């Protein structure tokens, strides 16, 4: 409200109201335009940028959420994958988006913890340039080999690998959870293993089936989809999963430091207004608890959660030193 309108409002009511009441009325009227100036959210199509390649596990889950978000908000929701550079390209696109909540990033610990430790010159600040919304689910990568390999568990693999000499394994990127666990496994088992990073897990698996790689890592849902073509030798994280109840954890098989759960989380651009952050966080958490979305996450080998923004931020703070210790212990660098 302009100064002239404010004076007019107070003058018009002096004939019937006290000066104090007139001032209160004028202040209230002055606040109305500022409230109306707050744009409704969302005011245009939403964009989800998932980690990884189109058709990859995170992309597939993002599209399931997109359908629910479109129903909830009444706006189109576009899923736009930006693969490559260990998730840095995708993260950077969200970091530089308008700070209004219309762009979100669905990702893994790689982009917000691993890259922060491994990459000294990121094009974004992993803390200031993002607002945590919700930790959607937890899970961990699995180690798989071609079905033709004469092993059935990690102990047998170690004995077999020592007779073979140098071997290669594939993951979905340098600094990924799979890479860190792969290097930790190599050191603890005393093996000669060379890491080969790919833009996505599917490409690594194709090369494994073609004989260019000896073994690979996978998300549990992807590993399950390969059926009898692979053997899953072990799973990282704190416990076995319902999708593969017969697959023992690395910890159960005598390896230490693998009891660290990965997560699937969603962020929006930093400095987005808190009311929008709260609205988005609530939407993603509530969608996670829908029966069909829960089942999709379970089928992918993940444990659904749907945390608050504050809980997700706390998870990051707590996980950072543990991932840092794993990175240093595994000797992983970007060089």
């Amino acid at each position: 409200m302009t100064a002239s309108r404010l004076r007019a409002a107070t003058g018009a009511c002096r004939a019937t109201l006290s000066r104090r009441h007139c001032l209160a009325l004028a202040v209230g009227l002055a606040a109305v335009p500022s409230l109306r100036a707050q744009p409704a959210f969302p005011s245009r199509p939403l964009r989800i940028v998932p980690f990884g390649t189109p058709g990859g596990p995170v992309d597939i889950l993002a599209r399931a959420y997109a359908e629910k978000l479109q129903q909830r908000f009444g706006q189109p929701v576009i899923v736009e994958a930006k693969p490559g550079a260990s998730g840095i390209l995708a993260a950077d696109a969200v970091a530089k988006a308008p700070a209004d909540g219309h762009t979100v990033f669905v990702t893994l610990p790689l982009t917000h913890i691993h890259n922060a430790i491994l990459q000294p010159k990121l094009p974004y600040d992993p803390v200031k340039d993002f607002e945590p919304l919700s930790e959607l689910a937890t899970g961990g990568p699995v180690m798989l080999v071609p079905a033709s390999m004469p092993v059935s568990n990690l102990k047998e693999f170690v004995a077999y690998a020592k007779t073979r000499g140098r071997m290669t394994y594939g993951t979905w990127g340098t600094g990924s959870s799979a890479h860190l666990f792969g290097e930790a496994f190599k050191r603890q088992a005393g093996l000669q293993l060379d890491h080969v990073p790919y833009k996505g897990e599917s490409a690594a698996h194709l090369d494994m089936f073609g004989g260019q790689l000896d073994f690979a890592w996978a998300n549990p849902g992807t590993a399950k989809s390969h059926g009898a073509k692979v053997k899953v030798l072990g799973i990282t994280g704190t416990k076995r999963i319902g999708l593969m109840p017969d697959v023992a954890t690395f910890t159960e098989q005598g390896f230490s430091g693998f009891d660290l759960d990965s997560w699937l989380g969603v962020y929006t651009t930093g400095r987005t207004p808190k009311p929008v952050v709260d609205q988005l966080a609530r939407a993603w958490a509530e969608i996670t608890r829908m029966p069909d979305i829960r089942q999709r996450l379970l089928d992918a080998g993940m444990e659904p959660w749907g945390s608050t923004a504050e809980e997700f931020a706390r998870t990051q703070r707590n996980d950072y030193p543990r991932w840092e210790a794993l990175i240093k212990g595994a000797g992983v660098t970007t060089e």
Side-chain angles (χ1 to χ4, degrees), residues 307-319:
S307 74
T308 64
E310 292 75 15
E311 288 169 333
F312 188 23
R314 186 165 58 248
T315 293
Q316 288 187 97
R317 290 193 299 270
N318 293 340
D319 281 1

Side-chain angles (χ1 to χ4, degrees), residues 207-321:
D207 276 359
M208 181 183 71
F209 295 137
Q212 286 80 41
L213 292 175
D214 292 295
F215 68 100
W217 290 76
N219 288 293
T222 307
K224 187 76 172 180
S225 71
H226 292 319
K229 293 195 295 183
V230 300
K231 297 175 185 175
V232 180
L233 303 187
I235 185 168
T236 61
T238 55
K239 60 185 179 181
R240 299 189 186 196
I241 59 173
L243 190 67
M244 300 175 175
D246 297 328
V247 177
T249 65
F250 274 72
T251 303
E252 289 176 299
Q253 298 185 64
F255 293 89
S256 61
F258 292 81
D259 57 339
L260 183 56
D261 288 321
S262 298
W263 41 254
L264 179 71
V266 60
Y267 301 80
T268 192
T269 309
R271 296 170 292 278
T272 295
K274 190 175 186 304
V276 175
V277 169
D278 291 342
Q279 189 175 352
L280 277 171
R282 185 165 55 251
W284 281 83
E286 290 176 358
I287 290 171
T288 299
R289 290 188 281 272
M290 291 181 176
D292 55 335
I293 297 296
R294 279 184 54 83
Q295 192 59 51
R296 279 181 174 270
L297 291 165
L298 290 168
D299 290 344
M302 308 196 80
E303 183 64 30
W305 183 16
S307 74
T308 64
E310 292 75 15
E311 288 169 333
F312 188 23
R314 186 165 58 248
T315 293
Q316 288 187 97
R317 290 193 299 270
N318 293 340
D319 281 1
Y320 188 97

